[in-house]
Amino acid sequence: MTTMPSTISPSRTTCASLLHELQIIWNEIGESDSERDKMLLQLEQECLDIYRKKVEKTRKYKADLHQSLVESEAEIANIVSALGEHASFSRGRGTLKEQISAIKPTLEELRSKKQERIKEFSEIQSQIVHICAEISGHGQSNSSSDPQVNECDLTVKKLGELKSHLQELQNEKIFRLQKVNSHVNTIRELAVVMSIDFSKTLDEVHPSLSDPSGHQSKNISNDTLARLTGVIHSLKQEKQQRLQKLKDLGRTLTDLWNLMDTPVDEQKRFGHVISLISSSVDEVSRQGCLALDVIEQTEIEVAQLNVLKSGKMKELVFKRQNELEQIYRGVHMDVDSDAARQILTNLIDSGNVDLSDLLSSMDDQIVKAKEQAVSRKDILDKVEKWRYATDEENWLEEYERDENRYSAGRGAHKNLKRAEKARNLVGKIPAVVDNLIAKVKAWEAEKGIPFLYDKVPILSSLEEYIVLRQEREEERRKSREQKRLQEQLAAEQEALFGSRPTPKKPLGQNTSINTMAGTPLGRRMSTASGRPGISAGKERRESVRNIIPVNYVALPKDDSVSRGS
């Protein structure tokens, strides 16, 4: 065999040396050439197989590098697409490893950016899921598993949409939380007014609402809001019912206090109840004013007063009867006190009548009596003026019949002054009577009943007075005529028989005073023919005085009466 050239690589030199060593061994063994050729062929085939495997492996490595490059390019394209960016890159030129080395930094940067974007998406979606769970009422049930992020769409637009949706949910959560807090505050106010267990009431809605530590977030679900709304509606109805009950009890208390004349100091114990009578539901906010124990105490007080009321009712009934009689007597209306009291006594003793209804009926009678008294007042005032005028008229007649009225006795000047006023007042009597008759007739036409004055129709009294006044006027006319005839007869006798001696005047009598006072001479002359007329007139006057009721309030005897007429 030829010697291997010196430029052969160490590996080939080694192979040649090994082949040379193998030739020596074969020579020593004495292998035939055919065996040697066979072994060499086999050895050459094994070397080819080794080279072939190496080439295949190297080819596969090249394919892997190429595949890695393609995959990197595809991953870059996908990440750029998912992020919604428009980044461009180039693999460059050179070997595959050089191209991979050139693309690797860009890929790493995009991968990092993608992970950050995924993390941001995940955080936002987690918050969205959490708030949705709170709104739906599931609380933290889904918070253990992170939401899946769609890595195919990581664009800024999608991220903005998620952020906008998250903001809407956060606003919804704030609104719901404010609404829950508002409902809770309303329940607290209602609970304070009615002394209801606030914490227990909220626990029945949801335990998170009454958590004193505040570690547990308040439930803001639709169910919780609906429950809170229902509780508020129920509490408001309860408040309305309690307020109405206390108002009714307060009115009953007031009625019982008025009936039984309860002292003001005793009424102060329930002043807080009475103050609610005029209050609306929204105005009632004082702590515990609608508590059940307040209602219970008020009910007990009403029950006790009702017990006392039944024992004192008879006294109250007769007190009302006294008030009614006083009103009737004050306006000169007919009232049979004994008969009325006997009827009331029989009714109370029979037990067939509700004393409260009886009192209410008597209160109605008192109201009507007061209305009648008001309607009679104007006429009664005029009746009193007429009665006063008739008294002055009677006094004037008695005064003018007194022959010693001008004597210088004690009080003569006062009588003269009174007589002058009486004459002025008597002159107005016809107008007073006519006005009074017109008033009475109008009243009777309106009411449909006669106007009685101490059981006597006032029109009858007025008519009798008019007749009597006309009779007295006729008597005066006849008296004046008789006096004129007597004076005429005396003058004729004087002319026939001469003058008669002047009769001696009574002591203190003055003719000039008589003339100035305007007193007719006939009033001071007592003739046989004049006495019967005067006596008859006096009897008629006495009869009129018996007809006119004497139970009246005398008016002041001065010029005010004349001016009032």
Side-chain angles (χ1 to χ4, degrees):
M1 295 185 63
T2 60
T3 305
M4 300 295 293
S6 58
T7 57
I8 298 175
S9 64
S11 60
R12 294 192 62 182
T13 301
T14 301
C15 288
S17 63
L18 291 174
L19 182 60
H20 178 68
E21 185 178 353
L22 183 62
Q23 289 287 354
I24 293 171
I25 294 171
W26 282 342
N27 290 330
E28 292 176 355
I29 294 173
E31 289 286 346
S32 62
D33 290 338
S34 60
E35 286 294 330
R36 291 181 179 186
D37 291 337
K38 183 177 178 181
M39 289 180 145
L40 289 174
L41 183 63
Q42 184 180 358
L43 182 61
E44 184 178 357
Q45 186 64 40
E46 289 177 356
C47 288
L48 286 175
D49 290 338
I50 290 172
Y51 276 107
R52 188 179 295 110
K53 287 181 181 178
K54 189 64 177 177
V55 170
E56 289 296 331
K57 184 177 179 181
T58 304
R59 185 182 291 114
K60 185 175 183 301
Y61 177 61
K62 174 186 175 183
D64 290 341
L65 290 176
H66 190 272
Q67 181 65 30
S68 177
L69 181 62
V70 172
E71 289 177 354
S72 296
E73 290 178 346
E75 185 178 356
I76 290 175
N78 291 334
I79 294 175
V80 169
S81 176
L83 294 177
E85 296 183 356
H86 302 284
S88 60
F89 66 93
S90 174
R91 66 172 66 177
R93 296 183 180 182
T95 63
L96 291 177
K97 287 185 176 182
E98 291 174 348
Q99 292 181 19
I100 290 174
S101 297
I103 203 173
K104 186 175 181 180
T106 303
L107 179 60
E108 293 297 330
E109 181 182 356
L110 288 175
R111 283 175 177 173
S112 176
K113 195 170 185 179
K114 178 181 178 181
Q115 290 302 318
E116 291 178 359
R117 187 68 59 85
I118 290 174
K119 182 179 179 181
E120 192 172 2
F121 267 80
S122 179
E123 291 177 354
I124 294 177
Q125 287 182 348
S126 296
Q127 295 181 50
I128 290 175
V129 170
H130 178 72
I131 295 177
C132 288
E134 288 183 331
I135 293 176
S136 64
H138 295 115
Q140 305 292 334
S141 59
N142 296 330
S143 61
S144 58
S145 59
D146 294 331
Q148 295 296 323
V149 178
N150 181 13
E151 297 184 6
C152 296
D153 190 357
L154 300 175
T155 61
V156 176
K157 179 180 178 181
K158 181 65 175 179
L159 184 63
E161 292 176 356
L162 286 177
K163 288 182 177 179
S164 177
H165 182 47
L166 175 61
Q167 186 64 44
E168 291 177 358
L169 290 175
Q170 288 174 339
N171 293 336
E172 175 70 13
K173 178 181 177 179
I174 293 173
F175 172 75
R176 286 171 174 263
L177 188 59
Q178 291 175 346
K179 200 169 184 179
V180 167
N181 290 332
S182 175
H183 288 344
V184 169
N185 290 334
T186 302
I187 293 174
R188 179 183 291 106
E189 293 172 358
L190 293 170
V192 167
V193 171
M194 294 186 287
S195 296
I196 295 174
D197 190 339
F198 171 67
S199 298
K200 182 179 179 181
T201 303
L202 290 184
D203 279 337
E204 293 176 354
V205 177
H206 196 277
S208 64
L209 302 178
S210 60
D211 182 14
S213 61
H215 297 306
Q216 185 179 5
S217 60
K218 293 181 180 179
N219 190 285
I220 57 174
S221 65
N222 290 333
D223 181 65
T224 299
L225 288 172
R227 286 173 176 268
L228 287 173
T229 302
V231 169
I232 291 174
H233 179 70
S234 176
L235 290 177
K236 284 185 175 180
Q237 283 187 331
E238 179 68 17
K239 180 181 179 182
Q240 176 69 43
Q241 293 172 0
R242 292 190 183 188
L243 177 60
Q244 187 60 45
K245 192 167 187 177
L246 279 176
K247 281 186 175 183
D248 295 339
L249 290 172
R251 294 189 184 97
T252 304
L253 273 179
T254 303
D255 294 340
L256 290 171
W257 288 340
N258 293 335
L259 286 174
M260 304 176 68
D261 296 329
T262 303
V264 177
D265 292 339
E266 295 184 16
Q267 297 180 18
K268 288 181 179 179
R269 290 194 305 117
F270 292 91
H272 58 287
V273 176
I274 303 303
S275 65
L276 296 175
I277 294 177
S278 59
S279 301
S280 64
V281 176
D282 296 333
E283 294 173 344
V284 178
S285 59
R286 190 171 65 253
Q287 181 177 357
C289 63
L290 298 181
L292 289 177
D293 57 347
V294 173
I295 298 175
E296 182 179 356
Q297 292 173 4
T298 308
E299 289 175 339
I300 292 173
E301 180 68 13
V302 169
Q304 292 175 350
L305 289 177
N306 279 325
V307 173
L308 296 176
K309 169 188 168 183
S310 60
K312 196 176 179 181
M313 193 62 72
K314 186 174 182 179
E315 177 185 345
L316 295 174
V317 167
F318 284 104
K319 185 178 180 180
R320 293 291 192 279
Q321 179 63 24
N322 287 334
E323 184 179 355
L324 186 63
E325 292 174 1
Q326 289 176 2
I327 294 172
Y328 282 143
R329 291 193 185 99
V331 292
H332 299 275
M333 293 176 66
D334 182 21
V335 55
D336 190 346
S337 300
D338 295 337
R341 290 175 180 274
Q342 186 60 45
I343 293 173
L344 290 175
T345 300
N346 294 337
L347 283 173
I348 295 173
D349 293 341
S350 67
N352 296 328
V353 64
D354 186 355
L355 295 181
S356 298
D357 294 340
L358 181 59
L359 275 177
S360 178
S361 174
M362 296 190 71
D363 287 337
D364 294 340
Q365 293 181 40
I366 290 173
V367 172
K368 292 179 181 178
K370 289 180 178 179
E371 292 175 354
Q372 291 180 0
V374 171
S375 69
R376 290 168 61 91
K377 186 176 184 305
D378 185 38
I379 294 177
L380 290 176
D381 291 343
K382 295 185 181 302
V383 169
E384 296 304 324
K385 291 179 182 179
W386 167 62
R387 287 169 57 83
Y388 173 71
T390 56
D391 287 343
E392 290 298 293
E393 183 182 29
N394 294 333
W395 177 87
L396 184 61
E397 288 184 359
E398 295 292 337
Y399 174 75
E400 290 182 345
R401 284 199 296 271
D402 184 9
E403 295 181 357
N404 297 325
R405 62 185 178 277
Y406 298 118
S407 64
R410 190 178 216 180
H413 65 287
K414 293 182 179 180
N415 289 334
L416 285 173
K417 186 176 181 181
R418 178 180 176 182
E420 184 64 25
K421 290 182 179 180
R423 290 187 187 95
N424 292 332
L425 184 59
V426 169
K428 298 176 181 179
I429 287 179
V432 172
V433 171
D434 292 341
N435 188 15
L436 181 56
I437 291 175
K439 290 279 187 182
V440 173
K441 288 183 177 180
W443 187 92
E444 291 181 348
E446 179 184 355
K447 304 296 182 180
I449 56 175
F451 190 99
L452 300 180
Y453 188 96
D454 292 337
K455 302 181 182 181
V456 178
I458 193 66
L459 282 181
S460 300
S461 299
L462 291 171
E463 291 171 356
E464 291 178 3
Y465 171 77
I466 292 173
V467 172
L468 179 60
R469 185 180 177 86
Q470 290 174 351
E471 290 177 354
R472 284 186 297 184
E473 290 294 334
E474 183 64 22
E475 288 176 1
R476 293 192 189 96
R477 188 189 63 78
K478 289 181 180 180
S479 177
R480 289 193 297 270
E481 183 64 24
Q482 185 178 7
K483 178 184 176 183
R484 186 183 63 78
L485 292 176
Q486 288 177 352
E487 289 178 350
Q488 183 178 359
L489 178 60
E492 291 176 354
Q493 290 178 353
E494 183 179 355
L496 291 176
F497 304 105
S499 61
R500 292 179 299 173
T502 302
K504 192 173 181 179
K505 297 179 182 178
L507 182 62
Q509 185 173 342
N510 193 328
T511 307
S512 61
I513 294 177
N514 292 341
T515 305
M516 290 177 63
T519 304
L521 292 175
R523 295 287 185 185
R524 291 180 283 115
M525 293 178 64
S526 58
T527 60
S529 59
R531 290 186 183 277
I534 294 174
S535 177
K538 184 175 182 180
E539 291 174 357
R540 292 190 185 93
R541 284 193 298 274
E542 291 298 328
S543 64
V544 171
R545 292 177 68 87
N546 292 331
I547 292 173
I548 298 174
V550 296
N551 185 15
Y552 70 98
V553 178
L555 299 176
K557 299 181 179 180
D558 51 19
D559 293 339
S560 62
V561 177
S562 302
R563 289 193 297 270
S565 301

